[in-house]
Amino acid sequence: MNHYRIACIPGDGIGKEVIPAGQAVLEALAANSGGYSFEFEHFAWGGDWYRTHGEMMPADGLDALRNKDAILFGSAGDPSIADHITLWGLRLKICQGFDQYANVRPTRILPGIDAPLKRCKVTDLDWVIVRENSEGEYSGVGGRAHQGHPIEVATDVSIMTRVGVERIMRYAFRLAQSRPRKLLTVVTKSNAQRHAMVMWDEVALVVSKDFPDVTWDKELVDAATARMVNRPASLDTLVATNLHADILSDLAAALAGSLGIAPTGNIDPERRYPSMFEPIHGSAFDIMGQGLANPIGTFWSCVMLLEHLGEKDAAIKLMTAIESVTANRQLHTKDLGGTATTDEVTQAVCAAVTI
C-alpha cells in the first residue's frame, strides 16, 4: 500500500473551509481503495499566524514541508494585512522556496455549468494554461526610494533567465505533446517588451525543434484575451509568463463558469521538493464562514494532486465524482447560481467516490 504524507495549509478566508473539505474527500477515496492511504498534517499559517508571530509562516517553515509528498493549500489574503505581505510571506515563499516553476491550470466547462459563452460548445473550451511560476514579473526585484516625497520612485523589474524560459517551454511542449490535439500557443508581448519577451520567443522557437509533432503558434497576450472569447476552440495548451498567465487563467475560469471551480498545481517537475495544489479563487473574506464557498476547485486540485502522485485511477474516480455532482444543479453553490452549501457539495462528492 502506498502511504502519502500531505501537508494541509488552509491559509486565510474560505481556505479554512475548502481545505478540510478536500481532506474529507481524499479520506473517503482512500477508505474505499485499499491501495493507498494518506497522512495529513495541518499547518495554521496565514493571517492569524501573522497577527500572533509577525510573519505569515515560520522562517524555517519550508523544513517542515520538505519531507511531504504533496501540499494542499487554501488561500493567502487577509483584508487587515497588505496583500504583498500575505502573498510573499506564504504562497510565494513556498513556490519559490521549492522551485515549483510550473504552474498548471486546466480549464473546461464541467457538466451542468452554465458558462457565459453562449455560442461556445462544451468541447470548444478545454484548455491547460502553463504559467512560468518562478521569475518574470513576480521576481520580487525592485525597490522604492524617497517615499512620501514628490521625487518618490518605485521599480519592479521583470527578470527572465534563459534557463527559466527554456525549462517552462519544454514543460509546456511536453504537456501539449501528451494531449490529443498536440497544440500549443505561446503567449507573448514581444512587440512592446523588446528584450526579455524577444528572448522568450526565440527560446520557444529553439525548443519547438525538439517537438516536431506539436503544432504551435504565437499570440500577443492582448490578442489572446480576445481569442479566448471569440475562438475558444482554436486553443488547447497555452504557455505564458508569470503575470500574463495569472491574468489569462482567471479569464479562463470565468469563461468556464466560475473561479470557484478552477484548480492549480504548482509543480516541481524534477520532484526535488513537494508540489503544491490549490484552488485559484482566493480567500473571499466576504463569504467566509457562511457555508457558501464552492469546494469544487479544491476537489479538482486534489485530482491534480493524485495524478502527480501517480494514483491515476483514483484521480479519474474523483474527477468522475466531481462531474456527477456539478451535473446536478441542486448541488450548485451560490457562485454557480445555486443554493447548495459547501458541506452539501462535499458530502455529495464523498458519497460519489464510494460508489
Side-chain angles (χ1 to χ4, degrees):
M1 175 183 287
N2 294 322
H3 182 71
Y4 300 111
R5 295 162 298 178
I6 309 297
C8 291
I9 309 175
D12 303 317
I14 63 171
K16 298 176 183 179
E17 300 167 58
V18 296
I19 294 307
Q23 179 177 335
V25 165
L26 289 174
E27 289 174 335
L29 267 170
N32 287 272
S33 75
Y36 55 88
S37 63
F38 297 105
E39 175 186 338
F40 298 95
E41 184 173 355
H42 181 273
F43 295 88
W45 301 337
D48 291 340
W49 185 273
Y50 180 86
R51 277 181 279 274
T52 301
H53 302 279
E55 56 188 359
M56 291 293 290
M57 63 181 284
D60 60 352
L62 293 180
D63 292 335
L65 304 175
R66 204 176 300 274
N67 69 338
K68 304 302 182 186
D69 295 296
I71 303 165
L72 190 59
F73 184 80
S75 62
D78 187 301
S80 66
I81 305 171
D83 286 343
H84 68 279
I85 292 175
T86 58
L87 184 65
W88 282 96
L90 185 56
R91 184 185 175 277
L92 289 184
K93 185 172 182 178
I94 296 170
C95 288
Q96 294 193 352
F98 286 151
D99 199 18
Q100 298 165 345
Y101 66 83
N103 179 281
V104 183
R105 299 189 170 190
T107 306
R108 58 188 175 88
I109 302 173
L110 298 180
I113 303 295
D114 184 20
L117 291 181
K118 301 309 177 187
R119 295 177 296 168
C120 173
K121 300 193 297 290
V122 170
T123 54
D124 287 348
L125 201 163
D126 186 354
W127 307 327
V128 178
I129 297 176
V130 177
R131 169 186 176 185
E132 200 292 312
N133 206 38
S134 64
E135 51 181 40
E137 304 90 348
Y138 297 169
S139 298
V141 177
R144 294 175 67 181
H146 312 298
Q147 292 186 43
H149 297 282
I151 59 171
E152 181 172 355
V153 60
T155 62
D156 276 297
V157 182
S158 176
I159 301 294
M160 291 191 191
T161 63
R162 189 173 188 91
V163 66
V165 174
E166 181 171 346
R167 66 184 184 175
I168 199 64
M169 287 295 175
R170 290 196 178 278
Y171 185 93
F173 270 95
R174 282 195 299 268
L175 181 59
Q177 189 180 52
S178 72
R179 286 168 60 83
R181 297 176 65 189
K182 300 184 187 301
L183 176 65
L184 176 67
T185 296
V186 175
V187 178
T188 186
K189 194 57 181 171
S190 52
N191 60 339
Q193 296 175 287
R194 59 196 178 111
H195 302 298
M197 292 306 302
V198 170
M199 182 182 73
W200 172 272
D201 293 353
E202 291 171 352
V203 172
L205 178 60
V206 170
V207 171
S208 72
K209 306 299 183 184
D210 295 332
F211 298 88
D213 56 336
V214 175
T215 301
W216 73 287
D217 64 356
K218 188 171 66 174
E219 190 77 83
L220 295 175
V221 63
D222 43 334
T225 62
R227 183 172 165 186
M228 289 169 72
V229 174
N230 296 327
R231 295 188 293 130
S234 71
L235 296 166
D236 186 83
T237 308
L238 300 88
V239 60
T241 69
N242 216 330
L243 173 63
H244 293 166
D246 191 6
I247 296 168
L248 291 178
S249 56
D250 272 24
L251 172 60
L255 294 176
S258 170
L259 265 65
I261 63 175
T264 304
N266 300 285
I267 309 296
D268 167 27
E270 285 73 44
R271 297 176 183 268
R272 300 157 296 171
Y273 309 103
S275 294
M276 182 164 70
F277 303 86
E278 59 175 322
I280 75 168
H281 50 56
S283 55
F285 262 76
D286 57 323
I287 61 169
M288 178 184 176
Q290 302 174 48
L292 300 177
N294 190 342
I296 294 296
T298 299
F299 300 157
W300 197 347
S301 298
C302 290
V303 171
M304 299 181 72
L305 182 153
L306 290 165
E307 291 171 340
H308 185 74
L309 295 177
E311 298 292 347
K312 299 192 185 306
D313 290 343
I316 292 171
K317 186 173 187 178
L318 178 53
M319 197 71 225
T320 300
I322 291 169
E323 292 176 342
S324 71
V325 169
T326 63
N328 182 352
R329 293 179 183 269
Q330 297 299 313
L331 292 171
H332 284 190
T333 45
K334 186 176 180 180
D335 58 303
L336 297 174
T339 59
T341 65
T342 308
D343 187 55
E344 288 169 344
V345 176
T346 302
Q347 289 183 30
V349 173
C350 286
V353 298
T354 64
I355 296 174

